[in-house]
Coordinates of all heavy atoms in Angstrom, one line a residue:
M32 N 107.5 81.3 139.1 CA 107.4 82.0 137.8 C 105.9 82.3 137.5 O 105.0 81.5 137.8 CB 108.0 81.2 136.7 CG 108.1 81.9 135.4 SD 109.1 81.0 134.2 CE 110.7 81.5 134.6
A33 N 105.6 83.4 136.9 CA 104.2 83.8 136.6 C 103.6 82.8 135.6 O 104.3 82.2 134.8 CB 104.2 85.2 136.0
S34 N 102.3 82.6 135.8 CA 101.7 81.6 134.9 C 101.2 82.1 133.6 O 100.8 81.4 132.7 CB 100.5 81.0 135.7 OG 99.6 82.0 136.1
E35 N 101.2 83.4 133.5 CA 100.6 84.1 132.3 C 101.6 84.1 131.1 O 101.5 84.6 130.1 CB 100.2 85.5 132.5 CG 101.3 86.5 132.9 CD 101.4 86.7 134.4 OE1 101.0 85.7 135.1 OE2 101.9 87.7 134.8
G36 N 102.8 83.4 131.3 CA 103.7 83.3 130.2 C 105.1 83.4 130.7 O 105.4 83.9 131.7
A37 N 106.0 82.8 129.9 CA 107.4 82.8 130.3 C 108.0 84.2 130.4 O 107.7 85.0 129.5 CB 108.2 81.9 129.4
R38 N 108.7 84.5 131.4 CA 109.4 85.7 131.5 C 110.9 85.5 131.1 O 111.5 84.5 131.5 CB 109.4 86.2 132.9 CG 108.0 86.8 133.3 CD 108.4 88.0 134.0 NE 107.2 88.9 134.3 CZ 107.4 90.0 134.9 NH1 108.5 90.4 135.3 NH2 106.3 90.8 135.1
A39 N 111.4 86.5 130.5 CA 112.9 86.4 130.1 C 113.7 86.5 131.4 O 113.3 87.2 132.3 CB 113.2 87.6 129.2
T40 N 114.8 85.9 131.3 CA 115.8 86.0 132.4 C 116.6 87.4 132.3 O 117.0 87.8 131.2 CB 116.8 84.8 132.3 OG1 116.0 83.6 132.4 CG2 117.8 84.9 133.4
V41 N 116.8 88.0 133.4 CA 117.6 89.2 133.4 C 119.1 88.8 133.3 O 119.6 88.2 134.2 CB 117.4 90.0 134.7 CG1 118.2 91.3 134.7 CG2 115.9 90.4 134.8
A42 N 119.7 89.2 132.2 CA 121.1 88.8 132.0 C 121.9 89.8 132.9 O 122.8 89.4 133.6 CB 121.5 88.9 130.5
Q43 N 121.6 91.1 132.7 CA 122.1 92.1 133.6 C 121.2 93.3 133.6 O 120.5 93.6 132.6 CB 123.6 92.5 133.2 CG 123.7 93.3 131.9 CD 125.1 93.8 131.6 OE1 126.1 93.2 132.0 NE2 125.2 94.9 130.9
K44 N 121.2 94.1 134.7 CA 120.3 95.2 134.8 C 120.8 96.5 134.2 O 120.7 97.6 134.8 CB 119.9 95.5 136.3 CG 118.9 94.4 136.8 CD 118.4 94.8 138.2 CE 117.4 93.8 138.7 NZ 117.0 94.1 140.1
S45 N 121.5 96.4 133.1 CA 122.0 97.5 132.4 C 122.2 97.0 130.9 O 122.3 95.9 130.6 CB 123.3 98.0 133.0 OG 124.2 96.9 133.1
P46 N 122.3 98.0 130.0 CA 122.5 97.7 128.6 C 124.0 97.2 128.3 O 124.9 97.5 129.1 CB 122.2 98.9 127.9 CG 122.4 100.0 128.8 CD 122.1 99.5 130.2
F47 N 124.2 96.6 127.2 CA 125.5 96.2 126.7 C 125.8 97.2 125.6 O 125.3 97.2 124.5 CB 125.5 94.7 126.1 CG 125.2 93.7 127.1 CD1 123.9 93.2 127.4 CD2 126.3 93.1 127.8 CE1 123.7 92.1 128.3 CE2 126.1 92.1 128.7 CZ 124.8 91.6 129.0
G48 N 126.8 98.0 125.9 CA 127.3 98.9 124.8 C 128.2 98.1 123.9 O 129.2 97.5 124.3
T49 N 127.7 98.1 122.6 CA 128.3 97.1 121.7 C 128.7 97.8 120.4 O 127.8 98.4 119.8 CB 127.4 95.9 121.4 OG1 126.9 95.4 122.7 CG2 128.1 94.9 120.6
P50 N 130.0 97.8 120.0 CA 130.3 98.3 118.6 C 129.7 97.4 117.6 O 129.9 96.2 117.6 CB 131.8 98.3 118.6 CG 132.3 97.9 120.0 CD 131.1 97.2 120.7
V51 N 129.1 98.0 116.6 CA 128.5 97.2 115.5 C 129.1 97.7 114.2 O 129.5 98.9 114.1 CB 127.0 97.2 115.4 CG1 126.4 96.6 116.7 CG2 126.4 98.6 115.3
E52 N 129.0 96.8 113.1 CA 129.5 97.2 111.8 C 128.5 97.4 110.9 O 127.4 96.7 110.9 CB 130.5 96.1 111.4 CG 131.8 95.9 112.1 CD 132.5 94.7 111.7 OE1 132.6 94.4 110.5 OE2 133.1 94.0 112.6
A53 N 128.6 98.4 110.0 CA 127.5 98.7 108.9 C 127.2 97.5 108.1 O 128.1 96.8 107.6 CB 128.0 99.9 108.1
G54 N 125.9 97.2 108.0 CA 125.5 96.1 107.1 C 125.6 94.7 107.7 O 125.1 93.7 107.1
K55 N 126.1 94.6 108.9 CA 126.2 93.3 109.6 C 125.0 93.0 110.4 O 124.4 93.9 111.0 CB 127.5 93.3 110.5 CG 128.0 91.9 110.8 CD 129.3 91.9 111.5 CE 129.6 90.6 112.2 NZ 130.7 90.6 113.1
T56 N 124.6 91.7 110.4 CA 123.4 91.3 111.1 C 123.9 90.7 112.5 O 124.8 89.9 112.6 CB 122.7 90.3 110.3 OG1 122.2 90.9 109.2 CG2 121.5 89.6 111.0
Y57 N 123.0 91.0 113.5 CA 123.3 90.5 114.8 C 122.0 89.8 115.4 O 120.9 90.2 115.0 CB 123.7 91.6 115.7 CG 125.0 92.3 115.3 CD1 124.9 93.4 114.4 CD2 126.2 91.9 115.8 CE1 126.0 94.0 113.9 CE2 127.3 92.6 115.4 CZ 127.3 93.6 114.4 OH 128.4 94.3 114.0
W58 N 122.1 88.8 116.2 CA 121.0 88.2 116.8 C 121.0 88.4 118.3 O 121.8 87.8 119.0 CB 121.0 86.6 116.5 CG 120.8 86.4 115.1 CD1 121.7 86.2 114.1 CD2 119.5 86.3 114.4 NE1 121.1 86.1 112.8 CE2 119.8 86.1 113.0 CE3 118.1 86.3 114.8 CZ2 118.8 85.9 112.0 CZ3 117.1 86.2 113.9 CH2 117.4 86.0 112.5
W59 N 120.1 89.3 118.7 CA 120.0 89.7 120.1 C 119.3 88.5 120.9 O 118.3 88.0 120.5 CB 119.2 91.0 120.2 CG 118.9 91.5 121.6 CD1 119.8 92.0 122.5 CD2 117.6 91.4 122.2 NE1 119.1 92.3 123.6 CE2 117.8 92.0 123.5 CE3 116.4 91.0 121.9 CZ2 116.8 92.1 124.5 CZ3 115.3 91.1 122.8 CH2 115.5 91.7 124.0
C60 N 119.9 88.2 122.0 CA 119.3 87.2 122.9 C 118.1 87.8 123.6 O 118.2 88.8 124.4 CB 120.3 86.7 124.0 SG 119.6 85.7 125.3
A61 N 116.9 87.2 123.4 CA 115.7 87.7 124.0 C 115.4 87.0 125.3 O 114.6 87.5 126.2 CB 114.5 87.6 123.1
C62 N 115.9 85.8 125.5 CA 115.6 84.9 126.6 C 116.4 85.3 127.9 O 116.0 85.0 129.0 CB 115.7 83.5 126.3 SG 117.4 82.9 126.1
G63 N 117.5 85.8 127.6 CA 118.4 86.1 128.8 C 119.4 85.0 129.2 O 120.1 85.1 130.1
L64 N 119.3 83.8 128.5 CA 120.0 82.7 129.0 C 121.4 82.5 128.3 O 122.1 81.7 128.7 CB 119.2 81.4 128.7 CG 117.9 81.3 129.5 CD1 117.1 80.1 129.0 CD2 118.1 81.3 131.0
S65 N 121.6 83.3 127.3 CA 122.8 83.1 126.5 C 124.1 83.4 127.4 O 124.0 84.3 128.2 CB 122.8 84.0 125.3 OG 124.1 84.0 124.7
K66 N 125.1 82.7 127.1 CA 126.4 83.0 127.8 C 127.2 84.0 127.0 O 128.3 84.3 127.4 CB 127.2 81.7 127.9 CG 126.5 80.6 128.7 CD 126.8 80.8 130.2 CE 126.2 79.6 131.1 NZ 124.8 79.6 131.1
K67 N 126.7 84.3 125.8 CA 127.4 85.3 125.0 C 126.7 86.6 124.9 O 126.5 87.1 123.7 CB 127.7 84.7 123.6 CG 128.5 83.5 123.6 CD 128.8 82.9 122.2 CE 129.7 81.8 122.2 NZ 129.6 81.0 120.9
Q68 N 126.2 87.1 126.0 CA 125.4 88.3 125.9 C 126.1 89.5 125.3 O 127.3 89.6 125.3 CB 125.0 88.7 127.4 CG 124.1 87.8 128.0 CD 122.7 87.7 127.4 OE1 122.2 88.7 126.8 NE2 122.1 86.6 127.5
P69 N 125.4 90.3 124.5 CA 123.9 90.3 124.4 C 123.4 89.5 123.3 O 122.2 89.6 123.0 CB 123.7 91.8 124.1 CG 124.8 92.2 123.2 CD 126.0 91.5 123.8
F70 N 124.3 88.6 122.7 CA 123.8 87.8 121.6 C 123.4 86.4 121.9 O 123.8 85.9 122.9 CB 124.9 87.8 120.6 CG 125.4 89.2 120.1 CD1 126.7 89.6 120.3 CD2 124.4 90.1 119.6 CE1 127.1 90.9 120.0 CE2 124.8 91.3 119.3 CZ 126.1 91.8 119.4
C71 N 122.6 85.9 121.0 CA 122.1 84.5 121.2 C 123.1 83.5 121.0 O 123.9 83.6 120.1 CB 121.0 84.3 120.2 SG 120.3 82.6 120.0
D72 N 123.2 82.4 121.9 CA 124.1 81.3 121.7 C 123.4 80.0 121.5 O 123.9 78.9 121.7 CB 125.1 81.3 122.8 CG 124.5 80.8 124.1 OD1 123.3 80.7 124.2 OD2 125.3 80.7 125.0
G73 N 122.0 80.1 121.3 CA 121.2 78.8 121.2 C 120.6 78.4 122.5 O 119.8 77.4 122.5
S74 N 121.0 79.0 123.6 CA 120.4 78.5 124.9 C 118.9 78.6 125.1 O 118.3 78.1 126.0 CB 121.2 79.3 126.0 OG 122.5 79.1 126.0
H75 N 118.3 79.4 124.2 CA 116.8 79.6 124.3 C 116.0 78.4 124.0 O 114.8 78.4 124.3 CB 116.4 80.7 123.3 CG 116.7 80.4 121.9 ND1 117.8 80.8 121.3 CD2 116.0 79.7 121.0 CE1 117.8 80.4 120.0 NE2 116.7 79.7 119.8
K76 N 116.7 77.3 123.5 CA 116.0 76.2 123.1 C 115.1 75.7 124.2 O 115.5 75.4 125.3 CB 116.9 75.1 122.7 CG 116.8 74.7 121.2 CD 117.7 73.6 120.9 CE 118.1 73.8 119.4 NZ 119.4 73.4 119.1
G77 N 113.7 75.5 123.9 CA 112.8 75.1 124.9 C 112.2 76.1 125.8 O 111.3 75.8 126.6
S78 N 112.7 77.3 125.7 CA 112.3 78.4 126.6 C 111.1 79.2 126.0 O 110.5 79.9 126.7 CB 113.4 79.4 126.8 OG 113.6 80.2 125.6
G79 N 110.7 79.0 124.8 CA 109.7 79.7 124.2 C 110.1 81.1 123.6 O 109.3 81.7 123.0
F80 N 111.4 81.4 123.8 CA 111.9 82.6 123.2 C 112.6 82.4 122.0 O 113.2 81.2 121.7 CB 112.8 83.3 124.3 CG 112.1 83.9 125.4 CD1 111.9 83.2 126.6 CD2 111.6 85.2 125.3 CE1 111.2 83.8 127.6 CE2 111.0 85.8 126.4 CZ 110.8 85.1 127.5
Q81 N 112.7 83.4 121.1 CA 113.5 83.4 119.9 C 114.4 84.6 119.9 O 114.0 85.7 120.4 CB 112.6 83.4 118.6 CG 111.7 82.2 118.5 CD 112.5 81.0 118.1 OE1 113.5 81.1 117.5 NE2 112.0 79.8 118.5
P82 N 115.6 84.5 119.3 CA 116.4 85.7 119.2 C 115.8 86.7 118.2 O 115.0 86.4 117.4 CB 117.8 85.2 118.7 CG 117.3 83.9 117.9 CD 116.2 83.4 118.7
L83 N 116.2 88.0 118.3 CA 115.7 89.0 117.5 C 116.8 89.5 116.6 O 117.9 89.8 117.1 CB 115.1 90.2 118.4 CG 114.4 91.3 117.6 CD1 113.1 90.8 117.0 CD2 114.1 92.5 118.6
K84 N 116.6 89.6 115.3 CA 117.5 90.0 114.3 C 117.7 91.6 114.3 O 116.7 92.2 114.4 CB 117.1 89.6 113.0 CG 118.0 89.8 111.9 CD 117.4 89.3 110.6 CE 118.3 89.5 109.4 NZ 117.7 89.0 108.1
Y85 N 118.9 92.0 114.3 CA 119.3 93.4 114.2 C 120.3 93.6 113.1 O 121.3 93.0 113.2 CB 119.8 93.9 115.6 CG 120.3 95.3 115.5 CD1 119.5 96.4 115.5 CD2 121.6 95.5 115.4 CE1 120.0 97.7 115.4 CE2 122.2 96.8 115.3 CZ 121.3 97.9 115.3 OH 121.8 99.2 115.2
T86 N 120.0 94.4 112.2 CA 121.0 94.7 111.1 C 121.5 96.2 111.3 O 120.7 97.1 111.3 CB 120.4 94.5 109.7 OG1 119.9 93.2 109.6 CG2 121.5 94.8 108.7
A87 N 122.8 96.4 111.5 CA 123.3 97.7 111.7 C 123.3 98.4 110.4 O 123.7 97.9 109.3 CB 124.7 97.5 112.3
T88 N 123.0 99.7 110.5 CA 122.9 100.5 109.3 C 124.2 101.3 109.2 O 124.6 101.8 108.1 CB 121.7 101.5 109.3 OG1 121.8 102.2 110.6 CG2 120.4 100.8 109.2
E89 N 124.9 101.5 110.3 CA 126.2 102.2 110.3 C 127.1 101.7 111.4 O 126.6 101.0 112.4 CB 126.0 103.7 110.4 CG 125.2 104.1 111.7 CD 125.0 105.5 111.9 OE1 125.9 106.3 111.6 OE2 123.9 105.9 112.3
A90 N 128.4 102.0 111.3 CA 129.3 101.6 112.3 C 129.2 102.5 113.5 O 129.4 103.7 113.3 CB 130.7 101.6 111.7
K91 N 128.8 102.0 114.6 CA 128.7 102.8 115.8 C 128.6 101.9 117.0 O 128.5 100.7 116.9 CB 127.5 103.7 115.7 CG 126.2 103.0 115.6 CD 125.0 104.0 115.6 CE 123.7 103.3 115.4 NZ 122.6 104.2 115.3
T92 N 128.5 102.5 118.2 CA 128.2 101.7 119.4 C 126.8 101.9 119.7 O 126.2 102.9 119.8 CB 129.1 102.3 120.6 OG1 130.5 102.0 120.3 CG2 128.7 101.5 121.9
V93 N 126.1 100.7 119.9 CA 124.7 100.7 120.2 C 124.5 100.1 121.6 O 125.4 99.4 122.1 CB 123.8 99.9 119.2 CG1 123.9 100.6 117.8 CG2 124.3 98.5 119.1
W94 N 123.4 100.2 122.1 CA 123.1 99.8 123.6 C 122.0 98.7 123.5 O 120.8 99.0 123.5 CB 122.7 101.0 124.4 CG 123.8 102.0 124.5 CD1 124.0 103.0 123.7 CD2 125.0 101.9 125.4 NE1 125.3 103.6 124.0 CE2 125.8 103.0 125.1 CE3 125.3 101.0 126.5 CZ2 127.0 103.3 125.8 CZ3 126.5 101.3 127.2 CH2 127.3 102.4 126.8
F95 N 122.5 97.5 123.5 CA 121.5 96.3 123.5 C 121.0 96.2 124.9 O 121.8 96.2 125.9 CB 122.2 95.0 123.0 CG 122.5 95.0 121.6 CD1 123.8 95.1 121.0 CD2 121.4 94.8 120.6 CE1 124.1 95.1 119.7 CE2 121.7 94.7 119.3 CZ 123.0 94.9 118.8
C96 N 119.7 95.8 125.0 CA 119.1 95.6 126.3 C 119.7 94.4 126.9 O 119.8 93.3 126.4 CB 117.6 95.5 126.2 SG 116.7 94.9 127.6
G97 N 120.1 94.5 128.2 CA 120.6 93.3 129.0 C 119.6 92.8 129.9 O 119.7 91.6 130.4
C98 N 118.6 93.6 130.3 CA 117.6 93.1 131.3 C 116.5 92.3 130.6 O 115.8 91.5 131.3 CB 117.0 94.2 132.0 SG 115.9 95.3 131.1
K99 N 116.4 92.4 129.3 CA 115.4 91.7 128.4 C 114.0 92.2 128.7 O 113.0 91.5 128.3 CB 115.5 90.2 128.6 CG 117.0 89.7 128.5 CD 117.7 90.0 127.3 CE 119.1 89.6 127.3 NZ 119.8 89.9 126.1
A100 N 113.8 93.3 129.4 CA 112.4 93.8 129.7 C 112.2 95.1 128.9 O 111.1 95.8 129.1 CB 112.4 94.1 131.2
T101 N 113.0 95.4 127.9 CA 112.8 96.7 127.2 C 111.5 96.6 126.3 O 111.1 95.5 125.9 CB 114.0 96.9 126.2 OG1 113.8 98.1 125.4 CG2 114.3 95.7 125.2
G102 N 111.0 97.8 126.0 CA 109.8 97.8 125.2 C 110.2 98.2 123.8 O 109.4 98.3 122.9
A103 N 111.5 98.3 123.6 CA 112.0 98.7 122.3 C 113.2 97.7 121.8 O 114.2 98.2 121.3 CB 112.6 100.2 122.3
A104 N 112.9 96.5 122.0 CA 113.9 95.4 121.7 C 114.4 95.6 120.2 O 113.6 95.9 119.4 CB 113.3 94.0 121.9
P105 N 115.7 95.4 120.0 CA 116.7 94.8 121.0 C 117.4 95.9 121.8 O 118.3 95.6 122.5 CB 117.6 94.1 120.1 CG 117.7 95.0 118.9 CD 116.3 95.5 118.6
M106 N 117.0 97.2 121.6 CA 117.7 98.2 122.3 C 117.2 98.5 123.7 O 116.0 98.4 123.9 CB 117.6 99.5 121.5 CG 118.3 99.4 120.1 SD 120.0 99.0 120.3 CE 120.4 98.1 118.7
C107 N 118.0 99.0 124.5 CA 117.7 99.4 125.9 C 116.7 100.7 125.7 O 117.0 101.6 125.0 CB 118.9 99.9 126.6 SG 118.6 100.7 128.2
D108 N 115.7 100.7 126.5 CA 114.8 101.9 126.5 C 114.7 102.5 127.9 O 113.8 103.3 128.2 CB 113.4 101.6 126.0 CG 112.6 100.7 126.9 OD1 113.1 100.2 127.8 OD2 111.4 100.5 126.6
G109 N 115.5 102.1 128.8 CA 115.6 102.6 130.2 C 114.7 101.7 131.1 O 114.7 102.0 132.3
S110 N 114.0 100.8 130.7 CA 113.1 99.9 131.5 C 113.9 99.2 132.6 O 113.3 98.9 133.6 CB 112.4 98.8 130.6 OG 111.5 99.5 129.7
H111 N 115.1 99.0 132.4 CA 116.0 98.4 133.5 C 115.9 99.1 134.8 O 116.1 98.6 135.8 CB 117.4 98.1 133.0 CG 118.1 99.4 132.7 ND1 118.2 99.9 131.4 CD2 118.8 100.2 133.5 CE1 118.9 101.0 131.5 NE2 119.3 101.2 132.7
N112 N 115.6 100.5 134.7 CA 115.6 101.2 135.9 C 114.4 101.0 136.8 O 114.3 101.3 138.0 CB 115.6 102.7 135.5 CG 116.9 103.2 135.0 OD1 117.9 103.0 135.6 ND2 116.8 103.9 133.9
K113 N 113.4 100.2 136.2 CA 112.1 99.9 137.0 C 112.2 98.6 137.5 O 111.2 98.0 138.1 CB 111.0 100.1 136.0 CG 110.7 101.6 135.7 CD 109.5 101.8 134.8 CE 109.9 102.1 133.4 NZ 109.0 101.8 132.4
L114 N 113.2 97.8 137.3 CA 113.3 96.4 137.7 C 113.7 96.3 139.2 O 114.4 97.2 139.7 CB 114.3 95.6 136.9 CG 113.9 95.4 135.4 CD1 115.0 94.7 134.7 CD2 112.6 94.6 135.3
Ligands
LIG251 FE1 118.6 83.8 124.3 FE2 118.9 82.6 122.0 S1 120.1 82.3 123.8 S2 117.4 84.0 122.5
LIG252 FE1 116.9 96.4 129.4 FE2 117.9 98.9 129.6 S1 119.0 97.1 129.9 S2 115.9 98.3 129.2

């Protein structure tokens, strides 16, 4: 592992298309270790990572980053194509 800081684990090299509900809050897993992708299940403990809060403004399907390398967290920005 690189010494310049912890790297997130790649949960999968593609986004998770997820239906969300208006006004509901979601916690995106930033560490990649959660068994409940794309959401945090507490597995980040001790990894140095924290989940990222996302509040849906409308009911729709969004694309949460699964590779954890996105520059637009918690959403996929296409960075998985460069992994
Ligand atoms: Fe990954 Fe919580 S389990 S951020
Ligand atoms: Fe991570 Fe697309 S899944 S940038």
Side-chain angles (χ1 to χ4, degrees):
M32 186 171 279
S34 58
E35 66 266 23
R38 281 224 171 185
T40 299
V41 177
Q43 70 174 28
K44 284 190 181 176
S45 56
F47 292 94
T49 310
V51 295
E52 292 170 40
K55 202 171 161 193
T56 293
Y57 301 85
W58 292 93
W59 175 74
C60 168
C62 71
L64 299 173
S65 173
K66 299 274 186 293
K67 293 181 182 165
Q68 293 296 331
F70 303 119
C71 173
D72 71 352
S74 299
H75 60 266
K76 248 182 206 142
S78 72
F80 286 92
Q81 294 292 330
L83 187 67
K84 186 180 180 181
Y85 170 80
T86 303
T88 52
E89 57 181 316
K91 62 177 176 181
T92 294
V93 296
W94 297 90
F95 286 108
C96 171
C98 73
K99 314 303 179 183
T101 180
M106 296 304 153
C107 170
D108 71 350
S110 296
H111 61 267
N112 288 315
K113 292 180 251 154
L114 294 177

